[in-house]
Structures are given as structure tokens and as C-alpha cells.
Amino acid sequence: MGRSTAARAGPSQSQRPSQSQRPSQSQRTRSGRNRVEEASEEEDPQEEEGGEAMDVDEEDNADSEVTHKANDLVRLALFMEHKRAVLRRDDINKKVLGPNARSFNRVFELAQKKLREVFGMELVELPTRAGLEKDGNEEGADEPRLETGLKKKANALGSKSYIVRSCLDPILIDLAAQTDEDVLAEEAGDQGTLYPSALSDDEGDGGDDDDGPPKFYGSLIAWSKADQLGSIGILYVILALLLANGRVMSDMDLRRHLKTLHLSSNPAAHPVKFHASATVRELTLDTYLSTLLRQGYLDRQQVGGEAAKKGKKSGAGSKRLRTQAEDLEEGRVYEWRWGARAFCEVGEEAVAKFIAQFMVENEGEGEEEGRDARRQEELMKKMYKGIEKAAGGKLTEMK
């Protein structure tokens, strides 16, 4: 009976697996490894999803950083343009990019897109003097080569300096500058309400006094609150004189022409005036020319005196323009040319058309109002060709 109890208590010797039937250590190891691998395979999708989420977050953070820096670049560019100052690549790296200078292209492209779509403006790189001279050479000219036949290392054509200019369609600007009679009447009514004592009975605009009420023109463009039109007008006259004089003019000749406009270094002469919104109300001619040099509209090179023998140039970096008497006393002779900003913001073709239109309209004064439009167009083309010949070569459009 005890024997039968022992038999029921556990399997018999014959029922127990033999040593050969038991899994070996290596089999147990492989089985455990398989179970681990199966478990890891089940967890892989979660890990991959987590990795993708991490990559997406990093990408979103990078895009957000680029957008933030692009906005900073837009603000910096508009601030520098308000001062008519040149925006340099070093300033962008220092004030916008910081240690992430390699992201310049992405930030610049996004900032350019924002400027064009929101403000109707764009950043443009100023060319160097070498770049301007290269564009002025005849087309098809061979590049300079060394004696070995290899091309010389080309001078950098980009100055890594930028300005902001308008990219609006010229047709849109013309439409915005046209006078609308309804708008003009509304502005006249507002002017009469705000400045009743200053409104003239004969004229439908404000007075000429800078301290008086602002003028109104019945157009979308508020000329009374726009750029300093008086100083810009003098700038365009200077650019026109230089262009029609073979693109270069001596300092003495330029001052002689400006003297006919009552602008000279003489303290008793009329200064260059600015309207009430400017930080300064008037500038002497020398100070005004120094400002144009600093802003990049004009370029001045010394061709006489001791400095000229050493090849020294006087350009946009000049802090103060010496008076004509000081230059003559020390034997310095200068020549004036267009600056890089004038090529990018105005262009030779636009100035030539401005001269041609001015000359043709003045020539037609006193004639019948129904003047032949075709005749006027022929005169415009003839005048334009004459300016191009006087400039010494084909005129360039805005760069």
C-alpha cells in the first residue's frame, strides 16, 4: 500500500525525461534569446515612433529658430535703411545669427520673402568697384589670363554689403502717384478744418512754409511725408551731371555746376534743406556731399597730391569732406563718380530717361497743347541716344 502511494506521488523513473531528452544549456540560452528578440521586436514600433517624434520636434525647433532670426534680419534691414546706412554681412552675423553663421542662406532667403510679400522691398548686395568695372567692359571681352594660360583669380564682385530697395511694379507706383480729384477734395476739406488760417483761397494745397501745414496731393503716396524730396532732387541732378560728363567729373567742375543752383561751400550760400520730420533741418554743401559718400550714392577718388602717388583713394569711408580751399592748398585733386548704391537704387537708364524727359518737355513749352505724341517720342529717343554717347558707352539698367 505504501508502494502504491509512492507511485502516485510522482512519475516513475521511466516517465521522467532522460538526460538526453532534457534541453541543453545552449538550447535554453537560444530559447531565452529568441524570447528577448521577440519582445524587442514588439517594442520597436514604439521606439521608432518616439524617435520620429523627436526628429519632428527638432525639425520644428530648427524652423522656428530660422523664422525668429529671419524676423530679426527684417527689422535690422529696415532700421538700417531708415538711416540710409549699408547693412554689412558682419553685422548680420553678429546681431542676428550669432554662433549659427552657417544658417545665413536659409535666414536670408526667408527674410527676403517676408520683405517682398509684406513691405514690397528687397535686400540687394552692393557690387564692388571691380564688379562695376567688369559690367562696364564690352561684352565678349576675354577674361585676363596669366602667362601660363590659366585664368587669373577673379576679384570678388560682391561686397557682402546690402541695401533695401523697392521691388514694387513701376506701373503700380505710377498709379499710386496719380492725383484723384475725389481724394483731393476730401483732403482739402480736412485741411480747411485742421488749418483754417493757413489754407489759401486760391490754391488747393498747404503753404510752402516748412512750419506750416503739410501739403496734400490727392494721391496714395503722401509726398509731404515721404523721403526728403529736396535733397533727393539735388542728388539726381549730381548723378545726371556725372553721367552726361562721361561718368566722371572733377571736384572743381562739379562745384562750378552746383554753384549755378546757389549751392557752394561759401557759408553765405543756400544750404541743402530738409523738411520738418528730419533730424537736421539743413546741411552745408560739403556736409551733404560727405553724407552721399557715406551712404554710397557717390564715390570720390584722389588723382592729385602726395596721396595720389601712393594710390590712395577717398571713398565712402571718409568721415569729413575737406573744403575746396583745403584741397587746393595741399594740392589734392579729386574726381567724382557714381557710387554702388546709385547703380542699385537708381540706375543709369532711369537717370538718362529723367534727363531726356526734362529736356524734351522744356523744349516743347510754348507750343500747342496738341503736340504730336510721335514727334515727342522721337525727340525722347534722340535725346536718350545723345546722353548715352556723352556717357561714353551703353547705359546700364538698375542692378
Side-chain angles (χ1 to χ4, degrees):
M1 190 172 186
R3 184 177 301 174
S4 62
T5 303
R8 287 194 302 270
S12 62
Q13 184 69 24
S14 60
Q15 292 174 333
R16 296 175 183 172
S18 62
Q19 183 69 26
S20 60
Q21 292 175 336
R22 295 177 182 174
S24 62
Q25 181 66 27
S26 60
Q27 290 175 334
R28 291 196 298 270
T29 303
R30 285 196 300 270
S31 177
R33 186 183 299 116
N34 292 336
R35 289 193 297 270
V36 172
E37 292 177 353
E38 291 175 358
S40 62
E41 289 178 358
E42 294 177 357
E43 296 175 357
D44 281 345
Q46 297 179 356
E47 292 182 358
E48 291 178 359
E49 291 178 1
E52 290 179 357
M54 183 177 298
D55 294 340
V56 171
D57 291 340
E58 291 178 355
E59 185 176 354
D60 291 342
N61 291 335
D63 293 341
S64 177
E65 184 69 15
V66 171
T67 302
H68 177 72
K69 292 185 179 299
N71 293 335
D72 290 342
L73 178 55
V74 169
R75 285 192 290 268
L76 178 61
L78 294 177
F79 173 75
M80 299 297 286
E81 175 59 23
H82 182 70
K83 300 193 304 179
R84 283 292 193 274
V86 175
L87 177 60
R88 305 189 185 280
R89 175 72 177 269
D90 293 339
D91 295 332
I92 298 176
N93 292 337
K94 180 180 179 181
K95 300 178 181 179
V96 177
L97 301 180
N100 301 323
R102 293 184 177 180
S103 61
F104 174 82
N105 291 336
R106 292 182 62 193
V107 173
F108 186 88
E109 291 175 1
L110 184 56
Q112 190 78 293
K113 181 180 179 181
K114 291 177 179 291
L115 282 170
R116 288 170 175 167
E117 294 180 352
V118 178
F119 299 97
M121 309 180 80
E122 64 181 357
L123 280 165
V124 59
E125 185 176 9
L126 296 176
T128 60
R129 175 54 58 182
L132 295 175
E133 293 176 354
K134 180 178 183 298
D135 292 338
N137 293 335
E138 296 181 359
E139 296 182 0
D142 295 334
E143 295 185 14
R145 296 176 179 270
L146 300 173
E147 296 180 356
T148 57
L150 299 176
K151 293 181 180 179
K152 288 184 178 180
K153 184 177 180 180
N155 293 328
L157 304 183
S159 62
K160 295 184 179 181
S161 300
Y162 305 87
I163 63 169
V164 176
R165 70 181 181 191
S166 171
C167 61
L168 295 177
D169 192 301
I171 298 178
L172 180 61
I173 298 177
D174 291 340
L175 293 175
Q178 292 179 4
T179 298
D180 185 274
E181 296 300 331
D182 294 336
V183 176
L184 187 63
E186 290 289 339
E187 290 181 336
D190 294 340
Q191 196 83 333
T193 302
L194 298 175
Y195 307 97
S197 60
L199 184 61
S200 173
D201 295 332
D202 298 330
E203 298 180 0
D205 59 1
D208 293 332
D209 189 2
D210 290 339
D211 297 329
K215 294 184 179 181
F216 54 93
Y217 302 88
S219 61
L220 291 178
I221 299 179
W223 295 110
S224 59
K225 298 180 180 179
D227 292 326
Q228 305 290 338
L229 299 183
S231 62
I232 291 180
I234 296 175
L235 167 63
Y236 280 18
V237 169
I238 294 175
L239 295 177
L241 290 172
L242 296 177
L243 182 63
N245 197 68
R247 295 187 170 99
V248 62
M249 181 179 289
S250 67
D251 182 74
M252 184 177 295
D253 289 340
L254 177 61
R255 292 177 182 274
R256 179 169 53 84
H257 284 294
L258 293 179
K259 191 174 183 180
T260 61
L261 302 176
H262 304 284
L263 296 172
S264 68
S265 300
N266 188 344
H270 295 291
V272 179
K273 292 187 177 182
F274 300 86
H275 60 62
S277 63
T279 56
V280 293
R281 300 300 299 273
E282 58 185 34
L283 293 176
T284 63
L285 178 61
D286 290 333
T287 305
Y288 177 66
L289 292 176
S290 299
T291 302
L292 296 180
L293 276 174
R294 185 178 67 255
Q295 294 174 347
Y297 287 107
L298 296 179
D299 179 56
R300 191 182 70 149
Q301 298 182 4
Q302 186 172 341
V303 295
E306 293 297 329
K309 298 178 181 179
K310 301 178 182 179
K312 182 179 179 181
K313 297 180 180 180
S314 176
S318 301
K319 295 183 178 180
R320 183 185 71 88
L321 196 68
R322 290 176 177 267
T323 63
Q324 187 178 16
E326 291 175 332
D327 292 336
L328 293 176
E329 182 179 354
E330 300 183 16
R332 289 189 298 268
V333 180
Y334 294 98
E335 289 181 343
W336 292 90
R337 290 178 174 82
W338 278 36
R341 189 179 189 124
F343 283 98
C344 294
E345 194 172 293
V346 186
E348 291 181 340
E349 287 186 352
V351 172
K353 291 177 181 178
F354 161 73
I355 300 173
Q357 184 177 4
F358 176 80
M359 298 297 292
V360 170
E361 288 181 353
N362 284 348
E363 183 180 348
E365 289 183 356
E367 297 186 6
E368 297 181 359
E369 294 182 359
R371 184 178 182 179
D372 188 4
R374 182 178 300 178
R375 170 63 177 166
Q376 187 172 2
E377 184 178 355
E378 291 177 356
L379 289 176
M380 287 280 293
K381 291 181 179 179
K382 185 177 180 181
M383 186 66 66
Y384 183 89
K385 291 293 184 181
I387 298 170
E388 189 174 42
K389 183 177 180 181
K394 182 177 176 59
L395 302 179
T396 61
E397 59 183 6
M398 189 170 61
K399 299 183 180 300

